[in-house]
Amino acid sequence: MPLLAQALDFIGGEQILQTPATTARDLIELVRHGLPIQAVDALVTQGHLTLTELDHIVMPRKTLYHRRKLGRLTAGQSDRLLRVVRILALAEETFANRDKAQTWLRRPTRPLAGERPLDLLDTEEGARAVESLLGRIAHGIAA
């Protein structure tokens, strides 16, 4: 399954997004419009993130509660959510196993200064560092 499709499945896919998203342009429009709150629910329900992790790297629970009343995330929240989902999907693709990917994301790693990869996803630069490391792992370069 292509990485984009896999990432979007993590947040409920076309059923929740209510529109096909097959190109970067489609994603840009989805983010600008704000993802439906059900995308967050799908991510947690499927076990990709816990509420505590979501609280730390995407948005505080109080904000989530407020957005739930409105039905949609803001563009910034949607962007953060897609950033996290993209890395989660890349980790699963790299390790070819969900459990291994989940374990790796939650274990401190020396190449990331002893931090857990998941904890770095709260910033764009942190996500880039994790993405780079996953690329090195995928290509067999010493991580």
Side-chain angles (χ1 to χ4, degrees):
M1 175 182 297
L3 189 60
L4 172 61
Q6 182 181 356
L8 293 179
D9 279 348
F10 287 7
I11 56 173
E14 196 173 320
Q15 181 180 358
I16 287 181
L17 300 176
Q18 299 176 342
T19 184
T22 56
T23 67
R25 187 71 191 156
D26 295 338
L27 284 179
I28 291 167
E29 289 306 313
L30 280 170
V31 167
R32 285 180 175 164
H33 184 60
L35 294 173
I37 195 70
Q38 292 86 354
V40 174
D41 297 336
L43 189 64
V44 173
T45 300
Q46 292 178 33
H48 294 288
L49 284 181
T50 66
L51 281 173
T52 301
E53 292 165 341
L54 186 76
D55 187 46
H56 173 69
I57 59 179
V58 179
M59 76 184 86
R61 286 185 212 190
K62 186 174 182 178
T63 303
L64 176 61
Y65 177 75
H66 175 70
R67 295 314 303 182
R68 190 171 299 287
K69 290 180 186 177
L70 300 174
R72 288 203 164 292
L73 302 177
T74 65
Q77 293 160 347
S78 297
D79 197 44
R80 281 192 301 277
L81 184 65
L82 279 182
R83 175 178 62 219
V84 171
V85 168
R86 187 183 73 245
I87 298 296
L88 294 172
L90 182 59
E92 284 194 21
E93 180 180 86
T94 300
F95 291 100
N97 179 293
R98 180 180 176 174
D99 292 335
K100 287 180 183 179
Q102 293 279 329
T103 299
W104 182 83
L105 286 163
R106 289 164 175 82
R107 183 180 298 148
T109 184
R110 190 173 310 165
L112 297 174
E115 292 205 48
R116 297 175 345 138
L118 197 62
D119 291 337
L120 297 175
L121 301 184
D122 63 333
T123 67
E124 181 62 34
E125 287 306 312
R128 287 181 186 184
V130 173
E131 191 170 18
S132 174
L133 181 55
L134 284 167
R136 293 193 328 245
I137 291 169
H139 290 94
I141 300 170

